[in-house]
Amino acid sequence: MAKIIGAFASQQEVIDTINALEQAGFVQGEMKIIAKDGEHSRRIEAESDVHVDELEELASTISGQEGDGSRGQEWAAAAAIPAIGLTGGGSWNPGFAAAGLTAIGGNLTGDFIIGDEDRIHGALIALGLDEQEASSCRDSIREGATLVVIDTDDSKSLLDKDGGPDLSRLGIAEGIYRQNGASRIFTGS
């Protein structure tokens, strides 16, 4: 699987991008739209009929702050398990440990121990981005950008020729991102 991620400043840019991607043959299963919150997603969902994942809602759910916490605790456990414990240098990482305590039923709240940066990062990982992609996209989301993620089985390297145009589906998606005003484009794994 390979990804390309575009960060867009306006909802209209995202709607135009979704329409162009669909015209180019991309289907909803290959597209993931990620917004900071409901304020950044309502119009996109209404005008494109594509679901938008809202990070604030997901981050709250992951940290066990919404509803009865049962679903949030499951997601928190899934997002926190790889990172709980000691970091590479043998030091304790309290942010991830707190996520783990919340995941196993502790009473710690995400806002108290886990900062917004960790909450956003954890939510991006829960949505399928890897560590590097989540780190790259976190600042754009915090600044209010909406992400359009194309995740395809296509390999960009299959069609790459020395100095030639990129004819892969990821190359087509990148061209659409550029045409529709992407403020940043991230290449994923």
Side-chain angles (χ1 to χ4, degrees):
M1 299 292 273
K3 289 185 191 116
I4 190 156
I5 305 164
F8 296 88
S10 78
Q11 293 177 29
Q12 186 61 53
E13 290 172 342
V14 174
I15 293 164
D16 293 344
T17 299
I18 291 169
N19 291 334
L21 288 168
E22 287 175 338
Q23 288 176 353
F26 290 92
V27 296
Q28 286 191 22
E30 296 172 310
M31 284 186 266
K32 184 178 298 265
I33 313 301
I34 304 170
K36 182 177 183 178
D37 52 31
E39 181 181 326
H40 292 87
S41 70
R42 285 185 199 105
R43 180 173 170 222
I44 297 167
E45 285 184 332
E47 292 187 28
S48 71
D49 290 329
V50 173
H51 172 72
V52 178
D53 292 302
E54 299 169 6
L55 279 182
E56 287 296 324
E57 179 181 320
L58 181 58
S60 294
T61 303
I62 288 173
S63 63
Q65 296 174 345
E66 248 180 36
D68 67 1
S70 61
R71 186 172 174 194
Q73 290 173 359
E74 291 169 11
W75 285 5
I81 286 172
I84 295 174
L86 299 177
T87 61
S91 61
W92 184 54
N93 186 334
F96 284 114
L101 290 173
T102 301
I104 59 174
N107 292 325
L108 300 174
T109 64
D111 286 334
F112 182 70
I113 295 208
I114 303 171
D116 283 341
E117 189 170 299
D118 290 335
R119 291 177 65 228
I120 291 171
H121 188 83
L124 288 168
I125 289 173
L127 288 171
L129 275 61
D130 64 25
E131 287 284 336
Q132 181 180 359
E133 293 162 349
S135 295
S136 297
C137 294
R138 182 179 50 225
D139 291 337
S140 293
I141 286 286
R142 196 172 328 151
E143 294 165 2
T146 300
L147 303 178
V148 177
V149 181
I150 293 294
D151 194 358
T152 181
D153 290 332
D154 231 9
S155 171
K156 188 172 182 174
S157 62
L158 279 176
L159 299 173
D160 281 347
K161 300 291 181 204
D162 293 335
D166 182 359
L167 302 175
S168 70
R169 295 192 75 214
L170 292 176
I172 292 167
E174 181 177 351
I176 291 169
Y177 289 173
R178 291 185 190 286
Q179 287 175 337
N180 288 289
S183 57
R184 294 181 73 189
I185 297 175
F186 309 98
T187 55
S189 55

